[in-house]
C-alpha cells in the first residue's frame, strides 16, 4: 500500500519537477519527519493545533471558534450516517424563478418561495437538496477531524471514518452529471460541477488527514483508492485554464496530493504550465492585485482556493508566499473598498464587507506581517478558523487602513476619494476589462458613495438560473452609463486618459470605442469639496438615440412635470423591467433630488446641452423584490453631451450648487474644449475640458470662485 507520508522518492521527484524554488532541503526535512510523526500535516501542524487550544483558553474570540467546531462535531454524532445514493445539483437553481429570492426548504421535496409562497418540487430543486446533504457531510468531516485533533476524543474520529467509508462505498456508483443533467467534462459526481467537487474535496482531504492515525491500513486503502483518488480523476477530466474553477481544481488536487504524498498530483496542482498555481499567478492576477474577472466576490472566492493551496504547500516546506502576484491579491481589495469597508457589486458580485473576509488577512498577517493586513484583523471579530490556527496573538493598535484616490489600472477602475472615515465621499469610474464570463456591459459607469452609504450602486447579480439575472442585471440599462439605441454594450474595455489628484481638485477621464460600433464614449468626472461634475459625451457619424442612465437609492423628486407612460419603454435589453414609467420634456436645465437617510443627493443638469426627453421609473434592485428609482435623459442625433453637477447635502446643511450651464466649445483648432460654468452660493466657477482626450497640454482647466486657476494635465 502507498504510504501516506511523502516518501523520499516523492521528494526527489518534487525537487526535479519544481526546481530550486521549492526549497528541497525544507521539503526533505519535512518529509523525513512526517514519516515518524503521528499528527496532522496538511493544513495544521501539531504545534498549530496546540497553539489553537491555548488561544481558546485565553481569548473569547478563539473560544467561540473552538466551541463552534466542537458543537458541529457533536451534531454530526446525532444521526446515523446516510450519505446520498446520488449526486446533487447546482445550488444556483435554488431560487424562485419569478422573484429571484432564495427558496426555503420545508422538506427534501418541498421548496417554498418566502416572498410569493410558490412551491417547487422535483428536478432540479430536490436535487439541490441532495447537494446540501453532501455539503453537510463535508462540513461534518472538517469539524469531526478538528474536534478529534483538539480533544483526542475517538468518537469524532470514528464518525469521520464512517462518513469516509460510506463515500468510498458509493462514489464509484455516482454518475457524472453537469448542471443540465448531461455528462460534459465540467460535470462532477457528488456535485454537478467539478468546481464544487474540488471545493468539497479540500475539506474532505483535511478531515481524512486529521484522523489518519486512527485508521487501519485497510480503511486507508479503501478511502484513498475508492474515494480520494477517484475524486481527483473526476476533476482532472476538466482542464479549465485561466479561471477560478481551475484554482479550486488545483486546491482539491493539492490537498489530496500533499495528504497522500503523491508527487504527480502536487506537480499538477502547482506547476502545470497551462493550469497550475504558478500559471494562475501569471495569467489570472491583474497588475493592481485584482482577480481578472473584475468581481470582488470572485476575487475572494479564488483567493480562498489559493490560500488552501499555499497552506498545504507551506506545511510541506514549499513557499508560494514569495510570489509577488500572490501577495498582491491581499493588497488589491484594500484599495477598492468603500469608506464603510464594503465592496461595490461590480460585475457578477454581491455587496459584502471586507470584515467578512478577515480570515484571509489573519493568514496574510501571519505569513507576511504588514500594517494594513493587521488593520483589517484589528477591525474584525477574529471568529474564523484561520485566526484560530495561524493568527497573531495580538493585533496592532491604531493601525492605518486608509486608502486615498487610486487608479486600479488592472481592474480598470479610477477611484476618487474625498473626506475621512465612513462619511467620506467615493466616486468610481469603471473603464477596464470586461471581466470574462462574469463581466457586465457597463463601460464608463460611475458608482457613488457618500452620506455614510452607497448611493448610486452597480446592479450586482442574482442566482444565475434566475431569468432576471440575464434580462436585467447583465444589461447596460441596469448601470450608470449611456445606452445607445436601447441595446446593451458589447463586451469591451476602455482607456483611462486622465487621472489627477490634488487637494480640493480631483478628476478622471476615460474613453471607450468598442461598446457600440461607430460610437465613441467619453466621460470626465471631477470631484471638488462641495460637488461633483459629470461630463459624458457620445460621438458618431450616424444618428443614434443616447440614454444617459442614473440609479440612486431613496425617494426622487424632479422639477419637471411628468406624465404616465402607458406603453413600456422597450421590450428587451432590460427596458421591459421598468415599472411606474413616467415621461417629461426638458427643453434645457432640469433638477432632481433623492431623499436618503442622512440627507439628500441633488442632481442639477446643465442648460445648453439641448432638449431632452426624461423618463423616471422604478427598476429592479437588491434584493430583486425591491425597486430603486432610475432616471433616463434621452437625446438623439449624431452626438450628445450630458453635463450635470451632483451634490451630497447632509441634513440641516444648505445646498451649494445653484445652476450649471454648458457655454459651448471654446479655443482654437487643436485646443478646443467644452466650457462649463457652475453658479454656486460662493460665486461662479468655470471649467474647460479638452475636446480631444489626447490633446497636448491640459485636459481640464478649473477656475474656482475667487480662486487661482488650476489645470489637470
Amino acid at each position: 500500500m502507498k504510504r501516506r507520508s511523502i516518501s523520499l522518492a516523492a521528494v526527489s521527484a518534487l525537487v526535479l519537477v519544481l526546481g530550486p524554488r521549492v526549497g528541497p532541503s525544507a521539503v526533505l526535512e519535512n518529509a523525513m519527519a512526517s514519516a515518524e510523526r503521528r499528527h496532522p500535516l496538511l493544513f495544521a501542524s501539531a504545534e498549530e493545533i496546540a497553539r489553537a487550544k491555548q488561544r481558546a483558553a485565553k481569548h473569547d474570540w478563539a473560544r467561540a471558534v473552538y466551541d463552534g467546531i466542537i458543537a458541529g462535531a457533536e451534531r454530526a454524532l446525532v444521526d446515523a450516517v446516510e450519505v446520498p445514493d446520488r449526486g446533487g445539483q447546482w445550488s444556483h437553481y435554488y431560487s424562485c424563478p419569478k422573484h429571484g429570492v432564495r427558496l426555503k426548504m420545508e422538506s427534501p421535496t418541498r421548496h417554498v418561495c418566502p416572498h410569493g409562497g410558490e412551491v417547487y418540487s422535483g428536478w432540479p430543486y430536490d436535487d439541490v437538496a441532495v447537494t446540501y446533504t453532501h455539503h453537510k457531510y463535508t462540513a461534518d468531516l472538517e469539524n469531526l477531524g478538528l474536534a478529534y485533533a483538539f480533544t483526542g476524543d475517538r468518537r469524532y474520529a470514528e464518525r469521520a471514518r464512517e462518513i469516509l467509508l460510506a463515500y468510498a462505498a458509493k462514489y464509484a456508483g455516482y454518475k457524472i452529471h453537469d448542471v443540465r443533467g448531461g455528462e460534459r467534462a465540467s460535470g462532477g459526481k457528488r456535485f454537478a460541477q467539478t468546481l464544487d467537487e474540488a471545493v468539497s474535496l479540500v475539506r474532505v482531504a483535511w478531515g481524512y488527514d486529521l484522523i489518519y492515525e486512527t485508521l487501519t491500513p485497510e480503511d486507508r486503502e479503501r478511502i484513498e483508492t475508492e474515494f480520494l483518488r477517484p475524486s481527483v480523476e473526476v476533476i482532472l477530466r476538466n482542464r479549465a485554464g485561466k479561471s477560478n474553477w481551475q484554482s479550486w481544481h488545483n486546491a482539491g488536487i493539492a490537498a489530496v496530493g500533499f495528504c497522500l504524498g503523491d508527487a504527480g498530483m502536487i506537480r499538477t496542482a502547482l506547476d502545470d504550465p497551462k493550469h497550475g498555481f504558478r500559471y494562475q499567478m501569471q495569467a489570472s492576477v491583474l497588475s493592481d492585485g485584482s482577480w481578472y474577472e473584475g468581481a470582488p466576490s470572485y476575487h475572494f472566492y479564488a483567493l480562498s482556493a489559493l490560500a488552501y493551496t499555499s497552506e498545504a504547500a507551506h506545511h510541506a516546506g514549499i513557499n508560494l508566499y514569495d510570489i509577488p502576484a500572490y501577495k498582491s491579491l491581499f493588497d488589491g481589495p484594500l484599495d477598492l473598498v468603500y469608506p464603510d469597508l464594503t465592496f461595490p457589486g461590480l460585475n457578477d458580485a454581491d455587496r459584502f464587507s471586507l470584515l467578512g473576509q478577515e480570515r484571509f488577512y489573519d493568514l496574510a498577517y501571519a505569513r507576511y506581517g504588514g500594517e494594513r493586513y493587521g488593520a483589517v484583523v484589528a477591525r474584525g471579530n477574529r471568529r474564523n478558523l484561520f485566526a484560530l490556527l495561524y493568527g497573531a496573538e495580538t493585533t496592532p493598535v491604531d493601525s492605518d487602513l486608509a486608502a486615498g484616490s487610486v487608479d486600479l489600472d488592472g481592474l480598470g477602475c479610477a477611484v476618487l476619494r474625498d473626506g475621512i472615515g465612513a462619511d467620506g465621499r467615493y466616486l468610481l469610474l469603471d473603464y477596464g476589462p470586461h471581466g470574462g464570463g462574469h463581466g457586465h456591459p457597463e463601460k464608463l459607469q460611475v458608482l457613488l458613495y457618500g452620506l455614510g452609504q452607497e448611493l448610486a450602486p452597480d446592479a450586482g447579480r442574482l442566482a444565475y438560473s434566475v431569468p432576471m439575472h440575464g434580462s436585467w442585471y447583465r444589461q447596460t440599462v441596469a448601470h450608470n452609463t449611456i445606452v445607445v439605441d436601447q441595446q446593451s454594450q458589447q463586451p469591451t474595455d476602455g482607456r483611462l486618459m486622465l487621472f489627477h489628484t490634488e487637494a480640493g481638485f480631483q478628476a478622471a477621464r476615460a474613453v471607450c470605442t468598442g461598446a457600440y460600433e461607430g460610437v465613441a464614449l467619453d466621460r470626465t468626472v471631477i470631484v471638488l469639496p462641495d460637488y461633483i461634475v459629470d461630463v459624458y459625451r457620445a460621438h458618431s457619424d450616424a444618428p443614434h438615440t443616447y440614454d444617459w442612465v442614473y440609479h440612486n437609492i431613496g425617494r426622487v423628486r424632479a422639477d419637471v412635470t411628468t406624465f404616465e407612460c402607458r406603453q413600456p419603454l422597450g421590450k428587451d435589453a432590460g427596458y421591459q423591467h421598468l415599472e411606474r414609467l413616467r415621461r417629461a420634456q426638458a427643453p434645457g436645465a432640469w433638477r432632481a433630488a433623492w431623499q436618503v437617510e442622512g440627507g439628500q443627493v441633488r442632481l442639477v443638469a446643465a442648460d445648453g446641452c439641448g432638449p431632452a426627453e426624461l423618463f423616471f421609473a422604478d427598476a429592479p434592485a437588491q434584493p430583486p423584490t425591491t425597486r430603486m428609482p432610475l432616471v433616463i435623459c434621452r437625446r438623439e442625433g449624431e452626438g450628445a453631451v450630458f453635463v450635470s453637477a451632483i451634490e451630497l447635502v447632509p441634513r440641516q446643511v444648505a445646498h451649494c450648487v445653484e445652476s450649471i450651464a454648458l457655454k459651448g466649445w471654446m479655443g482654437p483648432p487643436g485646443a478646443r474644449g467644452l466650457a462649463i460654468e457652475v453658479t454656486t452660493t460662493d460665486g461662479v466657477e468655470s471649467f474647460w475640458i479638452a475636446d480631444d482626450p489626447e490633446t497636448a497640454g491640459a485636459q481640464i482647466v478649473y477656475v474656482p470662485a475667487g480662486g487661482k486657476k488650476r489645470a489637470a494635465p
Side-chain angles (χ1 to χ4, degrees):
M1 188 192 87
K2 185 174 180 64
R3 290 179 60 85
R4 178 260 189 172
S5 57
I6 302 178
S7 66
L8 295 181
V11 173
S12 300
L14 277 174
V15 173
L16 288 172
V17 169
L18 301 178
R21 291 173 298 179
V22 171
S25 61
V27 176
L28 181 61
E29 179 182 350
N30 189 69
M32 292 177 67
S34 69
E36 303 300 326
R37 290 185 303 208
R38 306 298 292 172
H39 60 68
L41 290 172
L42 184 54
F43 297 125
S45 66
E47 293 80 4
E48 287 166 332
I49 291 292
R51 283 197 297 270
K53 293 171 65 176
Q54 293 169 1
R55 289 189 185 102
K58 292 167 53 180
H59 305 291
D60 290 343
W61 61 266
R63 170 55 65 180
V65 180
Y66 182 93
D67 287 348
I69 291 167
I70 302 301
E74 286 292 330
R75 287 192 297 272
L77 298 177
V78 174
D79 297 321
V81 173
E82 295 180 358
V83 304
D85 293 325
R86 69 184 194 278
Q89 254 307 334
W90 194 33
S91 60
H92 278 274
Y93 284 131
Y94 210 68
S95 292
C96 176
K98 181 178 179 180
H99 299 108
V101 297
R102 191 167 187 80
L103 299 176
K104 179 180 179 181
M105 188 184 301
E106 291 189 351
S107 78
T109 58
R110 181 180 170 86
H111 317 278
V112 181
C113 173
H115 182 77
E118 291 83 355
V119 177
Y120 301 92
S121 62
W123 193 95
Y125 308 103
D126 294 356
D127 296 70
V128 176
V130 175
T131 283
Y132 291 160
T133 301
H134 286 302
H135 283 319
K136 173 195 177 299
Y137 282 118
T138 298
D140 287 348
L141 282 170
E142 182 178 86
N143 284 328
L144 289 163
L146 285 166
Y148 171 71
F150 288 145
T151 67
D153 188 331
R154 300 279 296 209
R155 295 179 304 140
Y156 302 136
E158 180 56 33
R159 177 48 57 96
R161 170 186 174 274
E162 287 183 60
I163 296 171
L164 288 164
L165 289 174
Y167 274 117
K170 291 188 176 183
Y171 193 76
Y174 291 160
K175 295 181 179 179
I176 294 286
H177 63 289
D178 62 21
V179 297
R180 295 176 178 85
E183 296 185 7
R184 293 186 301 173
S186 63
K189 279 196 165 187
R190 284 185 297 146
F191 304 96
Q193 300 182 134
T194 52
L195 170 63
D196 300 309
E197 204 91 2
V199 172
S200 173
L201 188 57
V202 171
R203 301 170 75 186
V204 167
W206 195 10
Y208 175 67
D209 177 75
L210 288 162
I211 68 158
Y212 180 87
E213 68 174 4
T214 70
L215 299 171
T216 66
E218 294 74 22
D219 287 342
R220 296 169 191 162
E221 180 74 22
R222 288 189 61 194
I223 293 166
E224 292 178 15
T225 61
E226 298 178 29
F227 184 26
L228 299 182
R229 291 185 181 277
S231 295
V232 170
E233 291 170 5
V234 168
I235 294 168
L236 286 171
R237 295 170 64 252
N238 185 19
R239 309 296 276 154
K242 175 182 175 180
S243 65
N244 66 72
W245 279 53
Q246 188 60 47
S247 293
W248 274 108
H249 291 175
N250 293 338
I253 295 167
V256 175
F258 281 112
C259 184
L260 306 187
D262 189 308
M265 288 186 191
I266 297 169
R267 177 194 63 206
T268 296
L270 301 189
D271 264 0
D272 185 294
K274 295 183 179 180
H275 305 278
F277 182 100
R278 296 183 192 277
Y279 167 79
Q280 298 298 330
M281 294 304 94
Q282 297 169 5
S284 299
V285 183
L286 302 176
S287 58
D288 54 26
S290 301
W291 187 254
Y292 81 96
E293 290 168 302
S297 297
Y298 279 97
H299 182 107
F300 286 104
Y301 186 58
L303 184 55
S304 184
L306 301 170
Y308 278 119
T309 304
S310 64
E311 276 302 291
H314 170 81
H315 285 85
I318 301 171
N319 184 15
L320 300 176
Y321 287 97
D322 63 355
I323 301 174
Y326 183 39
K327 182 180 183 301
S328 76
L329 288 168
F330 298 94
D331 297 322
L334 303 183
D335 290 325
L336 179 64
V337 288
Y338 283 143
D340 67 352
L341 301 185
T342 63
F343 287 97
L346 291 166
N347 293 321
D348 276 344
D350 309 302
R351 283 290 309 284
F352 62 95
S353 173
L354 173 67
L355 299 183
Q357 310 301 317
E358 65 173 308
R359 66 191 181 104
F360 297 108
Y361 293 93
D362 261 299
L363 178 61
Y365 193 52
R367 301 292 176 242
Y368 293 114
E371 183 176 348
R372 295 187 84 193
Y373 301 157
V376 180
V377 172
R379 285 162 171 77
N381 62 27
R382 306 205 74 192
R383 295 190 176 189
N384 68 83
L385 184 55
F386 284 0
L388 180 65
L389 292 175
Y390 317 129
E393 286 296 317
T394 59
T395 58
V397 179
D398 297 327
S399 52
D400 185 15
L401 187 58
S405 296
V406 61
D407 171 28
L408 298 168
D409 58 355
L411 183 63
C413 290
V415 175
L416 300 176
R417 289 183 172 90
D418 179 66
I420 300 173
D423 292 329
R425 292 183 301 159
Y426 171 117
L427 185 141
L428 181 149
L429 174 60
D430 184 347
Y431 67 86
H434 179 68
H438 290 292
H440 288 193
E442 30 69 315
K443 283 294 134 302
L444 304 196
Q445 76 158 334
V446 295
L447 307 180
L448 180 62
Y449 177 102
L451 301 174
Q453 62 207 296
E454 184 182 54
L455 298 169
D458 188 286
R461 66 169 176 175
L462 295 185
Y464 301 149
S465 68
V466 177
M468 193 184 290
H469 173 69
S471 63
W472 172 256
Y473 293 87
R474 278 178 164 261
Q475 301 296 329
T476 302
V477 73
H479 301 80
N480 301 314
T481 185
I482 278 180
V483 184
V484 179
D485 297 331
Q486 291 192 202
Q487 295 300 308
S488 287
Q489 298 176 1
Q490 296 299 311
T492 188
D493 58 6
R495 289 188 298 151
L496 187 69
M497 309 306 297
L498 168 74
F499 185 76
H500 177 80
T501 61
E502 65 175 278
F505 174 36
Q506 302 185 79
R509 183 178 188 176
V511 299
C512 177
T513 58
Y516 297 100
E517 184 176 358
V519 178
L521 303 176
D522 180 342
R523 191 167 204 169
T524 301
V525 290
I526 303 169
V527 176
L528 304 171
D530 294 320
Y531 60 94
I532 296 164
V533 176
D534 177 27
V535 181
Y536 202 160
R537 287 176 277 184
H539 311 271
S540 179
D541 293 331
H544 294 281
T545 298
Y546 301 99
D547 287 350
W548 178 92
V549 184
Y550 182 73
H551 305 250
N552 203 102
I553 67 170
R555 301 189 313 275
V556 61
R557 290 187 178 181
D559 68 348
V560 294
T561 301
T562 63
F563 300 91
E564 181 183 357
C565 292
R566 298 186 182 277
Q567 298 296 325
L569 195 55
K571 296 181 179 180
D572 55 16
Y575 284 83
Q576 72 274 25
H577 290 294
L578 301 182
E579 299 176 352
R580 297 182 63 239
L581 188 65
R582 302 166 317 277
R583 176 177 172 272
Q585 294 293 332
W590 57 276
R591 294 173 173 80
W594 289 260
Q595 297 295 327
V596 301
E597 184 177 350
Q600 184 184 84
V601 178
R602 294 183 70 246
L603 185 148
V604 183
D607 197 13
C609 294
E613 195 171 20
L614 301 179
F615 298 94
F616 297 87
D618 292 342
Q622 293 287 1
T625 51
T626 62
R627 293 295 180 263
M628 182 183 301
L630 163 150
V631 60
I632 295 174
C633 182
R634 173 174 288 179
R635 292 191 167 96
E636 297 182 348
E638 292 184 354
V641 59
F642 303 87
V643 178
S644 57
I646 300 173
E647 187 179 4
L648 310 185
V649 186
R651 275 202 193 101
Q652 311 304 321
V653 175
H655 69 265
C656 168
V657 176
E658 301 287 353
S659 65
I660 181 170
L662 172 62
K663 308 303 288 187
W665 278 261
M666 297 183 179
R672 195 177 71 139
L674 205 62
I676 299 166
E677 285 188 356
V678 178
T679 301
T680 74
T681 52
D682 293 327
V684 176
E685 304 195 331
S686 64
F687 302 84
W688 179 90
I689 301 174
D691 192 33
D692 182 356
E694 298 190 79
T695 188
Q699 285 197 46
I700 302 174
V701 176
Y702 163 51
V703 182
K708 184 179 179 181
K709 179 172 70 176
R710 301 188 187 185

